[in-house]
Amino acid sequence: DMRHAVAPAEDVENNSFAVTSLLKICTHCERLSKKDLGVRIPRPLGNGPSRFIPEKEILQVSKVDARTQSIFEDAFAALGRLDNISLVMGFHPQYLESFLRTQHYLLQMDGPLSLHYRHYIGIMAAARHQCSYLVNQHVENFLHFGGDPKWLNGLGEAPQKLQQLGELNKILAHRPWLLTKEHIERLLKAEEHSWSLAELIHAVVLLTHYHSLASFTFGCGIMPEIHCEGGHTFRPPSLSQYCVCDIANGNGHANHHDDPFGNEMCGEVEVLMERMKQLQECRDDEEASQEEMATRFEREKTESMLVVTAEDEECVPPRDISRHFEDPSYGYKDFSRRGEHVPTFRVQDYSWEDHGFSLVNRLYPDVGQMLDEKFQMAYNLTYNTMATHKDVDTSMLRRAIWNYIHCMFGIRYDDYDYGEINQLLDRSFKIYIKTMVCSPEKTTKRMYESFWRQFQHSEKVHVNLLLMEARMQAELLYALRAITRYMT
């Protein structure tokens, strides 16, 4: 089982552990500890790191996988705690390692921006989606690194330089195709409030990182850690809660695979595998003309605009600091309803591999390399399984998911047949993807459960990694293209 090194005594107050299972407590245990200590003991509000995935499955990972265990231990040693995002990503240790390395570099290592600025930009980015989980994390770190608490009352209280980033933040989060070199110029030529190119690249990487991490956080139903706001209660537990003393009895969540409606889904995986096989045969047989390929892309792009996110229910306004950063007039849904046209961005004119990567590396050394490894890791990650089937080549499916997300952003790969997307991604999956990428704050447990019902939770987390990285790369492509146009 996981051994937790204890942080030095003086850090313990700030660094309560996040593995909520270690802090679950039944009424009997609670009485005993109260008698001993005379203290009120907080209880976690949720069962484990995710609202969607049974806690047992998440904690099992570190027990069976030595690599995950050692990554968790390193992360714990560096941060003094293990956050729930890392616990859920632990299903995919190779990816988690790359993710943590990149995030640590962006937030802690030498770079153009001061530490409190980095966390303030994290707050700005996460607040676009009212992601209180990430907002609260950054508020804590912003204050820890000497940030001025007044800035937390809203962007209007922050320095002019950060206020000017607000427009870029909004456009990148919701309509990145509207970004122009004029937006970049306004930031770089603002007299005493100007950004340098290196600072701007650092800010852009942070904004896109946290927009897409908000997608992951909502897409996997990540819960706040027990020491965070919204992560605990002092009310006595109800009978349905279970304590660390009976985890061994396997109490807790029912698995979402034991679905009463599961019968009708029977064969879902086999149908998908059969489609992949047929598409592969068609690929080998016939090649569509360039015109036909372009038409298929435009059709898929237009259709993706019409996919409705999450029953379009209105969101509850956030209680946390996000509300000070909101500009509710600017979001994804408004323009898709108005039928605003998304122009086509052709990857052969500006790609991450040939253009974006070298620009980032030049202005913020090593970061281009780290992002590239992280993109590759998410895109190429495979265990050659689909649900219970082994030795499956899933590259066609992974490519369809990645390209569908880029298609929603207007990004086109000339050599890809967009007709494959409709064969491989069904409607419930498309609704989940669209919600996750465009309005992640609306993701519900029902949506998570309604796609790929016969697949493992680890496979759904893998889908979330693909969505997160594809979204980040799409936003980055638009931002870096605008910067390149400004520079040339």
Side-chain angles (χ1 to χ4, degrees), residues 353-372:
E353 292 76 15
D354 299 334
H355 308 90
F357 169 74
S358 51
L359 178 61
V360 174
N361 248 6
R362 194 163 85 233
L363 291 167
Y364 189 7
D366 297 336
V367 170
Q369 191 62 46
M370 286 182 187
L371 292 176
D372 192 58

Side-chain angles (χ1 to χ4, degrees), residues 8-70:
E10 68 271 18
D11 297 345
V12 166
E13 313 269 309
N14 315 330
N15 296 331
S16 332
F17 303 156
V19 184
T20 58
S21 63
L22 300 177
L23 294 157
K24 277 225 175 64
I25 195 146
C26 68
T27 332
H28 171 68
C29 298
E30 193 169 29
R31 265 205 308 278
L32 288 176
S33 44
K34 273 187 180 156
K35 206 159 61 194
D36 294 347
L37 301 169
V39 292
R40 294 169 79 213
I41 294 183
R43 265 189 330 101
L45 267 178
N47 278 329
S50 161
R51 288 186 299 127
F52 301 165
I53 306 170
E55 181 177 37
K56 286 203 302 269
E57 277 191 50
I58 295 171
L59 296 175
Q60 195 55 36
V61 178
S62 61
K63 289 180 184 162
V64 295
D65 192 312
R67 183 170 184 182
T68 308
Q69 166 117 5
S70 89

Side-chain angles (χ1 to χ4, degrees), residues 146-163:
D148 182 343
K150 280 210 295 287
W151 298 8
L152 299 176
N153 296 330
L155 206 45
E157 303 276 334
Q160 192 68 39
K161 184 169 173 173
L162 281 165
Q163 288 183 37

